[in-house]
Amino acid sequence: MASEGAKQVLELLASTPAPTEPPTVAQQRANMEAATAAFPVPEDATITPVTANGVPGEWVAMPGASDKHAVLYLHGGGYVIGSPKTHRSLTAALAKETGAKLLVIDYRMGPEDACPAAIDDAVAAYEFLLAEGYDAANLAIAGDSAGGGLTIATLVALRNKGVALPAAAAPISPWVDLTGNSPTMETRKDVDPMVQKDGLLAMAAHYRGDLPAEDPRVSPLFADLKGLPPLLIQVGDHETLLGDSEELDKRARAAGVETRLEIWDEMVHVFHMFHFMMPEAAEANRRIGEFFRIKWGVEAASAAE
């Protein structure tokens, strides 16, 4: 049964009136900035602007952050909206749970910059971490929604380029199939107050440009996943994107990838963002931190499970 905090979040999301007409991209971006402006960021979080191999972004760290470990974080927003700023509350929470610094990049988005611009930026940022002296075995990649899909696409691109891969990755509510053909687009549409097929397809059109939705750079679900690092996939049972996570887990396993799929009862899209209200979200973030620390060899698996 969902916590009281989760019920409050669901009620708030369900009570948000639908727009009378589709908002412009500029309006969507402004709306997300406004919606997340009140999300708390700890006073002792350190936010430091950075340019990572030409890609703008910021370091997010909590006191006592490891000098040896870092996470490349890729924000969500349908490849069209969102920024490091909209996700600071979440990235600060993950910085605390991982004990590492998070490099949160402001990657290029559609419609101004179509795929594969976002992938190129994420690859460049990861290579920046290596150039800064981080060992790949002490790195991880995480991202939510579109950022979860970009996490997989980035790993595939790095593998294809022959770059040393990180120890682990955590796609959160990942959007990996931009065709919109997942069965849960229909079976979960009445319980998902955040994500619906028409809105996703509109964002997909902005992002993919001239590429077909089936292109594995656009929809990494269709990529060759062999050789990717261990994955922790977390998703809510009330998500229209649930099927993306289920199919990603299935295909990754078939490709020989170590993967763990966690489906959270009664949870909505990227519920992790509401960690300050929902104990389920705080626990999910904790598990991501635990997963990374185990894969980095910082924490023994037997002690954490």
Side-chain angles (χ1 to χ4, degrees), residues 15-284:
S15 66
T16 302
T20 55
E21 55 185 57
T24 65
V25 169
Q27 289 170 333
Q28 291 180 69
R29 290 172 177 169
N31 290 344
M32 189 171 190
E33 293 282 341
T36 58
F39 287 16
V41 178
E43 292 183 1
D44 53 353
T46 301
I47 313 295
T48 308
V50 64
T51 300
N53 244 357
V55 182
E58 60 188 33
W59 284 110
V60 178
M62 295 297 290
S66 169
D67 292 328
K68 295 182 179 180
H69 303 89
V71 178
L72 173 61
Y73 193 86
L74 306 169
H75 71 79
Y79 294 109
V80 175
I81 66 176
S83 69
K85 183 178 179 181
T86 61
H87 282 64
R88 274 185 192 156
S89 180
L90 175 56
T91 55
L94 290 173
K96 179 181 179 180
E97 297 297 348
T98 60
K101 294 172 66 177
L102 266 65
L103 174 61
V104 190
I105 61 169
D106 198 8
Y107 58 85
R108 287 172 290 171
M109 299 186 294
E112 296 88 349
D113 296 286
C115 183
I119 301 171
D120 292 343
D121 285 355
V123 167
Y126 180 83
E127 292 180 326
F128 166 82
L129 290 173
L130 295 177
E132 287 290 292
Y134 287 97
D135 191 309
N138 292 330
L139 294 175
I141 303 179
D144 64 280
S145 193
L150 185 55
T151 294
I152 302 300
T154 300
L155 291 170
V156 170
L158 290 168
R159 181 206 61 199
N160 291 347
K161 196 175 179 181
V163 178
L165 296 179
I172 299 169
S173 299
W175 186 25
V176 291
D177 179 4
L178 275 65
T179 68
N181 291 330
S182 170
T184 55
M185 284 288 120
E186 293 298 323
T187 62
R188 294 299 190 277
K189 68 180 182 181
D190 292 333
V191 293
D192 189 333
M194 299 177 69
V195 178
Q196 295 295 321
K197 184 174 181 176
D198 288 348
L200 282 178
L201 291 180
M203 286 181 155
H206 284 315
Y207 173 62
R208 62 185 179 84
D210 295 329
L211 296 174
E214 298 83 2
D215 189 296
R217 291 168 294 178
V218 174
S219 295
L221 181 67
F222 307 124
D224 175 9
L225 303 177
K226 290 185 179 68
L228 297 195
L231 304 176
L232 171 60
I233 307 166
Q234 295 180 330
V235 65
D237 183 62
H238 284 190
E239 296 195 44
T240 56
L241 285 172
L242 171 61
D244 284 41
S245 288
E246 293 177 321
E247 189 65 20
L248 175 61
D249 176 69
K250 177 182 175 182
R251 294 188 181 214
R253 288 179 185 276
V257 177
E258 177 190 335
T259 177
R260 186 169 94 208
L261 172 64
E262 295 183 353
I263 301 175
W264 291 70
D265 289 345
E266 301 182 60
M267 292 296 106
V268 295
H269 189 56
V270 195
F271 62 96
H272 307 63
M273 293 277 282
F274 301 98
H275 61 92
F276 52 92
M277 291 182 66
M278 299 165 53
E280 297 94 338
E283 172 62 13

